Amino acid sequence: MVDPLRADCHTHSSASDGSYSPEELCQEALAVGLAGLSITDHDTVAAYDQLRVPDGLTLLPGVEVTTDLEGSSVHLLAYGFSLDDKEIREMCRQRLESRRERFMEMRQRLQEQGLRLDPNRTWTQTALGRPQLAQELIEMGVCRSYQEAFTKYLHDHAPAYVPGRSFATLEAIQQLQAANAYVILAHPMLVDRKKLPKLMAMPLDGLEVWYGHSRGSWVSWMNLAMERHWLMTGGSDFHGAAKPDQPLGASWTPWETFQRLCEGRR
Ligand code: AMP
Ligand code: FE
Ligand code: FE
Ligand code: ZN
């Protein structure tokens, strides 16, 4: 039997909170036998700038946009748009700006808790968030692990946590679709359950049915998608060292679906 072609449609590079550079991510994708890949950094497409795609790998433009649904954060995966699209670039610019402001406010709050963060620290990543703060706390010796940093200082209800400004989910879906992107709800199994009925009534294009290693519940997500004639995608949410239990290729998108995503929505 011929091994089906696999595409991992949810990965992060060092442009956001992944530990692999975009080039390394492409090489690793080939090494684990993937034929398709989408780099879906948080609120940035910087990974695609000047990226040389190795032979044998098809790269699908993608981004994971953080949105707000009545106080809960909802991650949307957008695929298949033009990397030159002005609307998408502008959405990312606005999100990155509010990420940076929020990041600095969280640093301020950590300082107020008595932590002495280096005021002269600089970052190479385009999208800043809590993972970079976790890294800093580890380097300072305040925490021993990424998980400890979240448990002690950075979780959603921690005193240092700042939600930040995001686009409203519905408006973001519409804006992304107007820019020729397919919009998929990322990791629906991690969304606040109370918000699911609202989300399921939104004009999404699909659900990320296969996610990381969460194999248990995919049948119910598949049924929800099929009832709505939505696309079904899969991805690992690979971050490299930060999430070692989600290796590249842990989940993948069927090849026909991947090809459709590559064509764009219109
Ligand atoms: P941010 O975009 O700044 O809100 O950071 C979100 C990132 O932090 C995601 O990659 C999550 O995987 C990670 N994260 C959020 N909450 C936790 C938690 N309680 N434990 C570990 N990682 C978390
Ligand atoms: Fe992340
Ligand atoms: Fe996410
Ligand atoms: Zn992600």
Side-chain angles (χ1 to χ4, degrees), residues 10-12 16-17 40-42 64 75 77 186-187 208 211 236-239 243 246:
H10 190 161
T11 67
H12 294 265
S16 65
D17 53 353
T40 52
D41 279 310
H42 298 286
E64 182 173 21
H75 290 181
L77 290 163
H187 40 65
E208 190 178 43
Y211 175 73
S236 61
D237 206 2
F238 178 72
H239 281 70
K243 295 186 182 178
Q246 292 180 210

